[in-house]
Amino acid sequence: MIRTLRSALGAVLVTGGLLALLPASAAGAAGGPAAPAAPEDRVTVDVATVNGSGCKPGSATVAVAEDNSAFTVTYSEYLAMAGGSSAPTDGRKNCLLSLLVHVPQGFTYAVAQVDYRGFGSLQKGAVGTQKASYYFQGMKQTDYRTHKFYGQLDDNWQASDTTGIEALVFAPCGEQRNFNINTELRAEVGTSDPATTSYMALDSTDGSINSVYHFSWKRCTAR
């Protein structure tokens, strides 16, 4: 039943997933100076390491938009479940992705916005949580975000993390540092009937449901 619901969600979100690849411009939206355009040369993103109960090796894939405006992460086994016949360890799933982002010479990047989509089936009184943090290898600045969902819910869910232009953390120019994404899903029984099942899903069987990470670009000054 859970797989059927997630497959139905994939069909609904095919168009939405394509629209989400449009570039986000935090500066332009705020009325400030326009951010530099994305580089024309191809940007690539490789998965350096993947760890966590929500993303076993081979269950997370990364793709870069053709216009270099964003990259997507698609999971195939990311689901947290509580109640019913689920085990206590099923209630929390996490994934730590370490990514190698290869950018053209003379550019550096930050991640200005992240859009998450999934499906939630929460009984009345149950609680779902989606968390994320982002940081560059060797840098102290870490951005933490948390979103709560409350039952009764039996529908798509969406959450967006947006960082203002003044708070963006850019990768150091001329250095290759992994971009680390640490995400978590939780499902909790709360005050719902513990005999019933609740879950939060962030996975897709056909690639139509994904997390979209929007780049903000900056030109590096010559040394």
Side-chain angles (χ1 to χ4, degrees):
M1 180 62 176
I2 292 174
R3 179 59 62 186
T4 302
L5 288 172
R6 294 206 304 273
S7 298
L9 173 64
V12 172
L13 290 181
V14 169
T15 302
L18 294 175
L19 292 176
L21 287 174
L22 292 175
S25 178
E40 294 182 1
D41 292 342
R42 193 74 181 126
V43 175
T44 62
V45 179
D46 297 322
V47 178
T49 60
V50 54
N51 291 291
S53 55
C55 57
K56 298 176 183 178
S59 68
T61 59
V62 181
V64 181
E66 289 294 330
D67 61 359
N68 293 332
S69 65
F71 67 90
T72 64
V73 179
T74 304
Y75 304 94
S76 61
E77 298 183 21
Y78 206 160
L79 181 146
M81 184 186 308
S85 61
S86 61
T89 54
D90 294 336
R92 176 187 178 274
K93 299 294 182 179
N94 75 296
C95 180
L96 176 58
L97 283 176
S98 186
L99 304 178
L100 282 167
V101 182
H102 304 280
V103 302
Q105 187 174 4
F107 283 88
T108 186
Y109 73 95
V111 173
Q113 179 175 322
V114 187
D115 299 322
Y116 295 98
R117 287 192 177 97
F119 191 89
S121 179
L122 300 174
Q123 304 299 322
K124 185 177 181 180
V127 181
T129 305
Q130 185 268 328
K131 293 183 178 181
S133 62
Y134 320 95
Y135 60 97
F136 287 104
Q137 176 187 13
M139 297 176 66
K140 295 181 179 180
Q141 299 98 322
T142 302
D143 200 5
Y144 297 93
R145 303 296 176 91
T146 300
H147 302 276
K148 291 279 189 179
F149 302 86
Y150 300 92
Q152 193 168 2
L153 172 69
D154 190 32
D155 203 349
N156 310 342
W157 63 265
Q158 181 171 337
S160 293
D161 298 338
T162 303
T163 302
I165 189 69
E166 72 286 347
L168 290 176
V169 177
F170 286 85
C173 285
E175 297 182 23
Q176 181 65 65
R177 298 201 183 193
N178 291 12
F179 181 62
N180 298 312
I181 303 168
N182 194 3
T183 57
E184 178 182 320
L185 279 182
R186 285 182 182 265
E188 299 172 90
V189 170
T191 60
S192 68
D193 180 355
T196 60
T197 301
S198 294
Y199 69 87
M200 290 285 289
L202 189 64
D203 66 349
S204 172
T205 57
D206 59 6
S208 60
I209 306 169
N210 46 43
S211 303
V212 184
Y213 296 78
H214 301 271
F215 287 122
S216 181
W217 293 100
K218 184 169 73 173
R219 290 187 178 275
C220 296
T221 55
R223 295 181 179 179

